[in-house]
């Protein structure tokens, strides 16, 4: 991540062994720097920036590096491994397809594709009637944008305006980056889409639960002042289910006001469920926290249990807007990913991952509350639902808040815990949902120790 370079030089750190961790070499492990250098020679540098650990094996909630050091994973590879790394049901399902063999069908159909889509639609439940499968999350957010605009043309809106939120993020392809507010990231595009509008995010420190509706109305007024006709110029809203870097959820009343507005104007409400979907927040889908049902949503990451699977799920009327062939992709609904996706849904059901995540989320919140009480000068707050949480740091002594977040992340790594380094004042915590309570308690203890050691050196 920009702004902090983790040292790739092996450093002597205390060795340790618990049921869940093993650190027996220098960290990064010897040999790491050589592999990073090889990658630097052959791969775009845009792929660099995370912890200097070469993953050799990942199983359940453990990650092993090339020297056999064992880490508790609190990243789920950025919320992919919801059902655990190397899940056996997923591996078996993929192996069966490989053994057939049936590797690709594209526009020609397969039975596993029918099986998966039936199960996916049943899992999503009404009003969602159809889905369209893709590979990357950013393709799914692009397809969502396309569907919103196609719907608005169908119903005769004058302009295809999409309203998104400042600070939200939707991927790295052109439409996705246009919906993102980050100016630096989208500078390469060279022009603004005049019909993508950004409104402010109701950050929890600015807008309380009962102010959500008023806040939304103030944002509508701001749009009107910019010349947007609310009746004719808006095709729909695209909301990241929570704002990523801080796991920041909206006030329920804000989202409900958007839903009322979209229904009144017969326009669409879409969510980007990339990080929030498939049980991560203690609900099947994160939008359920707001007690609204969108018209369509984009998902990916945890959907495939580690294979490249993403998709858009929505009301049938919307999903059938594109003509035959106008919304498809060579690797859409590939047999391997359908087999994996089906296994993911079975795992979620069999292990009651929705209710278990809700329960474990409460435990995580209690543990983070203890940390917050212990370090009032270091920690600003924590946010999240289920097994996605952020810890937000404060400036302290000679450290800025984002330096502190980076230093704590690095210290945790040296002690056998991987957290999500955001490059900002937060660290994000998102273990595989199958993590044990005991491992979770141990992980938060490591964060505690790391903060403590950093302060002691001040
Ligand atoms: C909220 C959100 N939307 C979209 C994306 C893009 O997904 P992908 O990286 O699979 O293209 C991401 C990825 O991190 C994301 O977090």
């Amino acid at each position: 991540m920009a702004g902090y370079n983790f040292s790739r030089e092996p450093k002597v750190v205390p060795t340790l062994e618990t049921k869940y961790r093993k650190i027996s070499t220098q960290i990064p492990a010897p040999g790491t720097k050589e592999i990073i250098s090889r990658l630097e020679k052959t791969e775009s540098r845009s792929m660099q920036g995370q912890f200097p650990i070469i993953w050799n094996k990942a199983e359940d909630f453990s990650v092993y590096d090339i020297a056999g050091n064992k880490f508790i994973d609190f990243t789920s590879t950025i919320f992919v491994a919801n059902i655990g790394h190397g899940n056996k049901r997923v591996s078996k399902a993929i192996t069966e397809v490989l053994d057939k063999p049936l590797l690709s069908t594209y526009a020609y159909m397969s039975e596993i594709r029918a099986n998966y889509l039936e199960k996916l639609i049943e899992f999503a439940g009404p009003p969602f009637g159809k889905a369209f499968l893709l590979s990357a999350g950013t393709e799914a957010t692009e397809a969502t944008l396309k569907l919103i605009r196609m719907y608005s043309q169908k119903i005769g809106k004058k302009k295809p305006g999409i309203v998104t939120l400042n600070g939200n993020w939707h991927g790295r392809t052109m439409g996705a980056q246009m919906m993102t507010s980050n100016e630096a990231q989208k500078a390469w595009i060279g022009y603004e889409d005049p019909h993508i509008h950004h409104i402010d995010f109701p950050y929890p420190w600015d807008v309380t639960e009962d102010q959500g509706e008023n806040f939304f109305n103030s944002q509508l007024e701001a749009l009107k002042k910019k010349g947007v006709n609310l009746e004719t110029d808006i095709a729909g809203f695209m909301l990241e289910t929570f704002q990523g870097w801080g796991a920041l959820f909206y006030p329920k009343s804000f989202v409900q006001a958007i839903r009322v507005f979209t229904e009144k104007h017969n326009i669409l409400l879409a969510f980007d469920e990339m990080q929030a979907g498939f049980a991560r927040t203690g609900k099947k889908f994160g939008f359920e926290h707001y007690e609204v049902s969108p018209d369509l949503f984009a998902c990916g990451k945890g959907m495939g249990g580690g294979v490249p699977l993403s998709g858009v799920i929505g009301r049938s009327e919307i999903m059938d807007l594109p003509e035959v062939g106008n919304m498809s992709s060579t690797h859409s609904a590939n047999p391997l990913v359908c087999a994996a996706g089906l296994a993911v849904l079975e795992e979620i059901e069999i292990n009651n991952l929705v209710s278990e995540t809700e329960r474990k989320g409460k435990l995580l919140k209690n543990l983070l509350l203890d940390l917050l009480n212990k370090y009032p000068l270091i920690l600003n707050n924590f946010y999240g639902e289920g097994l996605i949480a952020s810890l937000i740091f404060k400036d302290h002594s000679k450290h800025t808040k984002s330096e502190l977040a980076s230093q704590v992340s690095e210290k945790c790594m040296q002690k056998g815990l991987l957290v999500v380094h955001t490059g900002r004042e937060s660290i994000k915590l998102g273990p595989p949902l199958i993590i044990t309570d005991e491992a979770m308690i141990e992980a938060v203890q490591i964060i505690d120790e790391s903060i403590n050691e950093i302060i002691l050196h001040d």
Side-chain angles (χ1 to χ4, degrees), residues 228-275:
V228 178
N229 181 323
L230 302 183
E231 301 281 333
T232 58
D233 298 353
I234 303 182
F237 283 69
M238 172 71 149
L239 307 187
E240 192 179 349
T241 306
F242 55 80
Q243 191 163 107
W245 68 274
L248 301 164
F249 284 69
Y250 312 84
K252 201 191 286 179
S253 56
F254 175 82
V255 179
Q256 291 188 345
I258 295 182
R259 180 74 280 195
V260 169
F261 179 85
T262 54
E263 278 175 355
K264 179 171 163 209
H265 293 278
N266 188 20
I267 57 175
L268 302 185
L269 171 60
F271 279 88
D272 175 345
E273 281 275 319
M274 223 55 65
Q275 297 195 15

Side-chain angles (χ1 to χ4, degrees), residues 406-440:
S406 298
Q407 285 165 354
V408 170
S409 309
E410 190 165 34
K411 224 351 137 217
C412 286
M413 172 189 78
Q414 291 164 352
K415 292 172 176 291
L417 170 69
L418 302 179
V419 299
V420 180
H421 174 239
T422 64
R424 325 187 20 150
E425 66 268 37
S426 60
I427 58 176
K428 267 172 83 178
L429 311 172
L433 311 179
I434 44 92
I435 193 164
T436 61
D437 293 5
E438 195 183 42
M440 209 153 62

